[in-house]
Amino acid sequence: LCYPEPGAAQPLLNPSIPFLGQIPGCMRPGTMVVIQGSVPPNADRFAINFQIGASTKPRADIAFHFAARVKAGHIVRNTLTNEKWGAEERGVPYQPFVPGQNFEIMVLAVKEEFKVAVNGQHYITYKHRVRPLKKIDYLAINGDVTITSVRFQDEQ
Ligand code: 9QG
């Protein structure tokens, strides 16, 4: 269900983790999600999930899983379908998440892919494996992370 309308949403401030929230208007080409937070000292891993629904049993499909494995130094991207992970995408230009430091992750959905920028710099893209995009109606954030704000915007 794509409610509320895009643009109607106020920024979410200091949500507790694990976070699960509806994406106002669902994802569509031009939807941008801006997540600000920090990596706690000693963080192992955290993940940002763009989901289809909020079910835990069975677990909702995840169109785009962005997993920062801070200790291991990997950023893994994947899709969960019928409780099974697909092929991981792992290449990164650098590892931007540093324990004790703030970050900003911007995820922009365009027609063919998600574009992810970290700290204002283009970081990676992820080709859509789930279509149509508007099936993606929930954002979940979990793991070792502190989130100060989540903003949903529509860029036409
Ligand atoms: O490890 O990899 C992404 O391909 C799995 C992880 C899994 C994902 C997956 O165990 O972990 O990152 O949400 C999950 O299930 C996370 C925490 C091969």
Side-chain angles (χ1 to χ4, degrees):
L1 220 74
C2 298
Y3 178 84
E5 290 303 303
Q10 299 299 308
L12 303 167
L13 301 178
N14 306 308
S16 56
I17 301 296
F19 168 77
L20 177 70
Q22 258 186 296
I23 298 169
C26 299
M27 295 301 282
R28 52 180 81 190
T31 303
M32 189 158 79
V33 183
V34 183
I35 298 163
Q36 292 181 318
S38 62
V39 183
N42 280 308
D44 180 17
R45 51 169 73 186
F46 69 92
I48 297 173
N49 294 319
F50 289 83
Q51 303 192 170
I52 297 122
S55 174
T56 50
K57 272 182 189 181
R59 189 175 180 190
D61 284 359
I62 301 172
F64 180 32
H65 168 77
F66 180 93
R69 298 184 184 162
V70 178
K71 280 205 172 137
H74 304 142
I75 310 291
V76 172
R77 290 85 66 192
N78 209 342
T79 293
L80 183 80
T81 312
N82 298 327
E83 302 194 300
K84 289 196 175 66
W85 291 107
E88 291 183 340
E89 297 182 25
R90 303 175 69 106
V92 287
Y94 59 99
Q95 213 293 93
F97 300 109
V98 182
Q101 292 195 11
N102 295 336
F103 63 78
E104 180 188 78
I105 299 172
M106 198 182 305
V107 179
L108 171 67
V110 298
K111 195 161 176 275
E112 297 300 327
E113 63 200 11
F114 293 102
K115 292 178 184 289
V116 180
V118 180
N119 299 332
Q121 283 198 3
H122 173 69
Y123 188 56
I124 54 102
T125 60
Y126 189 79
K127 296 269 178 242
H128 295 313
R129 298 187 197 174
V130 170
R131 292 174 189 278
L133 220 47
K134 66 181 180 206
K135 282 165 61 177
I136 304 167
D137 56 356
Y138 275 87
L139 176 69
I141 304 172
N142 57 51
D144 307 321
V145 69
T146 302
I147 299 298
T148 51
S149 76
V150 178
R151 276 158 33 223
F152 298 96
Q153 284 167 226
D154 265 82
E155 191 194 64
Q156 248 47 256

